[in-house]
């Protein structure tokens, strides 16, 4: 009971605006340049879990930078499942560290199954038709091109989507190319999420008018916006590293 309670306490009671925009983006291919610590992994888990409960045939494949990050996606999804009232959710029939499987029943009595699968960076295979593939922190993969090329065919059947999200790692690599070459990768929708988009990083004054923050912050220097809008947490992070490091980690400005 204690473990279950702790899991439930980890689930936020709302999604932030940028998480909602990404989840509601129905583009076949989605790309997100993002700050660190903005809840992208949680958003992925929310989307995958919701679809697993709402769709008859569905699989979500989460691919993460390492095993620990992969396990976290399933922890989030399991906690979400435990927080949903019984009458609104499917039966959990498989519960593993790297996978969850749910069983539903349609009107004629037939059983349906949906799955959430999570593993560290390796090439996904099979699992086609109504399958989403989420590539989390792809800029930091050892073999991003191999994982990406293997993921594309999986989403070509049904309503599946391919989603790439990462903080930058220099001006190069697949994630950077897709985010900036809008002609070659015209099929992708693009999202940019900065630290000042996350209410958890803003001071009390900034929280009173977040629209103003979003308009004004890009016109300021890094130090100016940190001191003007940031809370103690983001100010301390700014002063604990070089400005270039901070810009890459929190302001999606990659090293040249």
């Amino acid at each position: 009971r204690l473990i279950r309670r702790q899991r439930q306490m980890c689930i936020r009671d709302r999604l932030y605006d940028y998480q909602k925009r990404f989840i509601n983006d129905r583009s076949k291919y989605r790309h997100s340049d993002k700050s660190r610590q903005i809840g992208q992994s949680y958003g992925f888990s929310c989307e995958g879990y919701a679809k697993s409960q709402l769709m008859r045939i569905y699989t979500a494949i989460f691919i993460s930078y390492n095993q620990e990050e992969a396990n976290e996606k399933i922890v989030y999804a399991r906690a979400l499942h435990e927080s949903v009232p019984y009458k609104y959710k499917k039966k959990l029939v498989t519960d593993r560290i790297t996978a969850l499987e749910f069983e539903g029943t349609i009107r004629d009595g037939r059983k349906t199954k949906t799955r959430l699968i999570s593993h560290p960076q390796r090439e996904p295979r099979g699992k086609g038709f109504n399958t989403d593939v989420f590539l989390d922190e792809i800029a930091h993969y050892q073999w991003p091109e191999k994982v990406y090329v293997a993921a594309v065919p999986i989403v070509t059947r049904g309503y599946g989507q391919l989603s790439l999200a990462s903080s930058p790692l220099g001006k190069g690599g697949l994630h950077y190319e897709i985010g900036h070459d809008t002609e070659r990768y015209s099929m992708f929708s693009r999202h940019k999420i900065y630290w000042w988009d996350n209410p958890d990083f803003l001071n009390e004054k900034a929280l009173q008018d977040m629209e103003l923050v979003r308009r004004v912050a890009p016109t300021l220097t890094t130090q100016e916006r940190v001191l003007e809008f940031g809370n103690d947490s983001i100010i301390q992070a700014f002063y604990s590293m070089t400005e270039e490091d901070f810009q890459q980690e929190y302001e999606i400005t990659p090293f040249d």
Side-chain angles (χ1 to χ4, degrees):
R1 289 180 181 178
L2 178 60
I3 293 175
R4 179 176 298 179
R5 178 57 179 165
Q6 288 174 334
R7 288 174 177 170
Q8 291 174 342
M9 290 173 65
C10 290
I11 299 300
R12 292 195 297 266
D13 60 356
R14 67 191 186 283
L15 291 171
Y16 295 138
D17 290 342
Y18 55 82
Q19 291 171 318
K20 294 177 184 178
R21 283 194 297 270
F22 193 88
I23 290 174
N24 289 325
D25 180 354
R26 303 309 307 152
S27 303
K28 192 77 169 176
Y29 299 89
R30 300 180 295 183
H31 179 278
S32 176
D33 262 331
K34 68 178 189 68
S35 161
R36 295 283 297 276
Q37 296 297 311
I38 52 84
Q40 187 74 60
S41 297
Y42 178 72
F44 281 170
S45 294
C46 285
E47 181 173 359
Y49 175 73
K51 289 180 179 178
S52 74
Q53 304 303 296
L54 295 170
M55 299 176 68
R56 294 180 181 178
I57 302 174
Y58 177 74
T59 299
I61 302 176
F62 305 109
I63 302 178
S64 303
Y65 175 69
N66 56 34
Q67 187 66 60
E68 182 181 359
E69 294 294 323
N71 295 349
E72 188 177 66
K73 308 290 192 305
I74 298 300
V75 170
Y76 286 150
R78 187 184 296 111
L80 284 164
H81 187 69
E82 291 174 353
S83 70
V84 172
Y86 180 80
K87 63 179 179 180
Y88 296 123
K89 62 186 178 183
K90 296 179 180 178
K91 181 181 179 181
L92 179 61
V93 294
T94 299
D95 185 355
R96 298 198 300 270
I97 294 175
T98 58
L100 301 177
E101 188 173 275
F102 304 96
E103 183 180 83
T105 305
I106 55 180
R107 291 181 179 179
D108 61 4
R110 287 182 296 164
K111 302 294 184 181
T112 63
K113 289 188 178 181
T114 53
R115 297 174 294 177
L116 305 179
I117 302 169
S118 186
H119 54 73
Q121 49 178 311
R122 67 171 182 261
E123 302 162 56
R125 294 290 176 184
K127 318 279 190 315
F129 192 73
N130 287 1
T131 298
D132 288 339
V133 181
F134 300 90
L135 306 182
D136 194 16
E137 294 294 352
I138 185 175
H140 303 267
Y141 287 8
Q142 189 169 1
W143 304 286
E145 291 82 6
K146 290 184 178 180
V147 175
Y148 170 78
V149 170
V152 169
I154 293 176
V155 304
T156 52
R157 294 179 61 234
Y159 297 103
Q161 295 174 279
L162 176 59
S163 303
L164 286 67
S166 186
S167 54
L169 186 63
K171 288 188 174 181
L174 180 65
H175 179 75
Y176 179 84
E177 291 174 7
I178 292 176
H180 291 80
D181 192 341
T182 57
E183 183 175 345
R184 180 180 178 184
Y185 297 100
S186 59
M187 70 291 294
F188 277 87
S189 64
R190 291 169 174 81
H191 299 252
K192 292 185 179 295
I193 307 168
Y194 304 89
W195 68 261
W196 59 84
D197 292 314
N198 186 349
D200 293 338
F201 289 147
L202 299 179
N203 57 42
E204 292 184 6
K205 181 181 177 181
L207 286 171
Q208 295 175 9
D209 193 346
M210 291 189 61
E211 288 301 322
L212 176 65
V213 174
R214 295 189 184 104
R215 291 198 307 270
V216 175
T219 69
L220 305 177
T221 66
T222 295
Q223 185 175 26
E224 287 173 342
R225 55 178 160 254
V226 166
L227 297 178
E228 179 69 20
F229 302 125
N231 59 18
D232 288 343
S233 176
I234 205 71
I235 292 173
Q236 291 171 9
F238 173 73
Y239 284 118
S240 70
M241 61 181 75
T242 67
E243 186 167 303
E244 280 188 331
D245 284 327
F246 181 86
Q247 289 171 341
Q248 178 159 266
E249 297 297 319
Y250 290 95
E251 298 189 341
I252 59 177
T253 303
F255 284 147
D256 192 344

